[in-house]
Amino acid sequence: MKNILVPIGSSKNAISNLQYAIDLASFIGDVNVYVISVFKEFSKAGTGTRLNRVIEDDTKNNLEDVINAVDKKDISVVAHPLKGNVVEGVERFNKHIPVDLMVIGPRSNSVKEEVYLGNTSGKLVKQTNIPILVVPEGYTFKNVDSILMAFKSGTISKKKVLNPLMELIEGFDAELNLLRVITPDATEEDAKINDRLTKIKNSIVETENATTFQGVLEHFQSHNPDMLCVVRRKRGFFKKLWEKNIILKKEFYCNIPLLVLSGK
């Protein structure tokens, strides 16, 4: 893992979110942290040019304030204000500097307490294919002793999809527990579990549920993990997210870091 990206919005948790990313980078070692804030430009007609300059300056100042408020721990922390929308900005950045992991808060702009995953964060999970670590609001970095990975299908064809998980397991010396959720539409192919996972797993539990979501809700407390891991698939854990970008706390709430692997 070389590059961690932290998009920040107007959330009051931007500082704690960035601090978590820096602490993680410091723990892993030899990792760069990039912080971006995306702003939209107005039409340049009339006073648009002046207004855009003000917005860009405000964005730069906000980035500077957030960076000055964290302990950088000798980690390289580089800030970039970007024009456009957040998904386009992240994708543009990723083309120039390959992102190994993106650290986001569950509600980057939303202030509604009933929301777990807000519109902007939901778009990043839904519309990018970059590994994402969703860190709870105000969460402080600590060691990860156990990771629960929940999935419907154990077939993962691309080797690099599992790389962030493998690096975190190695870095934390964490145990990996697998939860295979057998849904009504499960196939024989779904039962085949990736060799890399079977070699390092500490345990595997199979459960029959209507969705991966429900399987996690049923078994989460008994496993009591320090991190939850899922794979980004249209009919997987975030099935509700493909219908809308927001997930309410009454539908799902995670009080530990949630690792979302690539895999659309």
Side-chain angles (χ1 to χ4, degrees):
M1 192 176 297
K2 294 294 181 185
N3 301 314
I4 293 178
L5 178 64
V6 186
I8 62 170
S10 58
S11 169
K12 62 182 181 181
N13 292 286
I15 294 171
S16 64
N17 206 41
L18 176 57
Q19 188 65 63
Y20 184 96
I22 291 171
D23 292 346
L24 177 61
S26 178
F27 183 83
I28 295 172
D30 195 26
V31 178
N32 302 307
V33 174
Y34 295 91
V35 193
I36 64 169
S37 187
V38 181
F39 63 95
K40 290 185 179 180
E41 280 194 316
F42 288 86
S43 169
K44 293 187 178 180
T47 60
T49 300
R50 271 201 314 274
L51 185 57
N52 289 333
R53 197 175 298 123
V54 170
I55 294 171
E56 184 171 2
D57 287 343
D58 284 347
T59 304
K60 288 179 180 177
N61 291 335
N62 181 50
L63 279 169
E64 206 170 292
D65 289 344
V66 171
I67 290 176
N68 288 337
V70 298
D71 178 3
K72 292 189 276 295
K73 298 187 172 182
D74 295 323
I75 293 295
S76 172
V77 181
V78 181
H80 288 285
L82 297 176
K83 301 173 186 176
N85 68 54
V86 66
V87 174
E88 290 173 351
V90 165
E91 289 179 340
R92 278 202 319 273
F93 184 92
N94 189 41
K95 286 180 181 178
H96 294 285
I97 300 175
V99 177
D100 300 300
L101 183 68
M102 182 159 50
V103 175
I104 67 173
R107 299 185 303 163
S108 58
N109 290 310
S110 176
V111 293
K112 295 180 179 179
E113 283 299 324
E114 66 270 22
V115 171
Y116 165 63
L117 200 64
N119 188 54
T120 302
S121 299
K123 284 181 180 178
L124 289 171
V125 173
K126 179 178 177 179
Q127 297 179 28
T128 70
N129 204 25
I130 298 170
I132 289 177
L133 189 63
V134 183
V135 179
E137 296 168 355
Y139 193 84
T140 304
F141 180 83
K142 62 181 181 179
N143 196 60
V144 174
D145 294 320
S146 67
I147 300 175
L148 175 64
M149 181 178 183
F151 55 87
K152 168 187 164 183
S153 173
T155 302
I156 300 173
S157 55
K158 294 182 179 179
K159 184 178 179 180
K160 68 177 183 178
V161 167
L162 293 172
N163 286 352
L165 173 63
M166 297 299 180
E167 290 189 54
L168 291 174
I169 289 172
E170 183 178 353
F172 285 111
D173 192 23
E175 66 175 36
L176 176 67
N177 299 303
L178 303 179
L179 176 65
R180 185 193 164 220
V181 183
I182 304 171
T183 60
D185 59 346
T187 66
E188 289 185 12
E189 191 70 19
D190 291 336
K192 298 176 183 177
I193 299 177
N194 182 277
D195 287 340
R196 293 179 76 192
L197 292 177
T198 56
K199 286 177 182 177
I200 66 167
K201 68 174 173 59
N202 289 78
S203 69
I204 180 167
V205 171
E206 292 188 344
T207 178
E208 294 187 17
N209 293 91
T211 65
T212 313
F213 232 84
Q214 291 179 13
V216 170
L217 292 176
E218 182 181 322
H219 291 269
F220 188 81
Q221 292 299 329
S222 60
H223 281 84
N224 193 28
D226 299 306
M227 182 176 289
L228 177 63
C229 176
V230 297
V231 181
R232 179 191 281 114
R233 285 175 173 146
K234 276 203 170 185
R235 296 190 174 276
F237 185 78
F238 282 113
K239 186 176 180 181
K240 282 182 178 290
L241 190 61
W242 303 102
E243 301 164 5
K244 55 182 181 178
N245 294 324
I246 292 175
I247 290 179
L248 300 178
K249 288 180 180 177
K250 66 180 181 181
E251 296 169 331
F252 178 76
Y253 175 71
C254 191
N255 63 352
I256 57 173
L258 170 63
L259 177 62
V260 184
L261 300 176
S262 306
K264 283 197 298 185

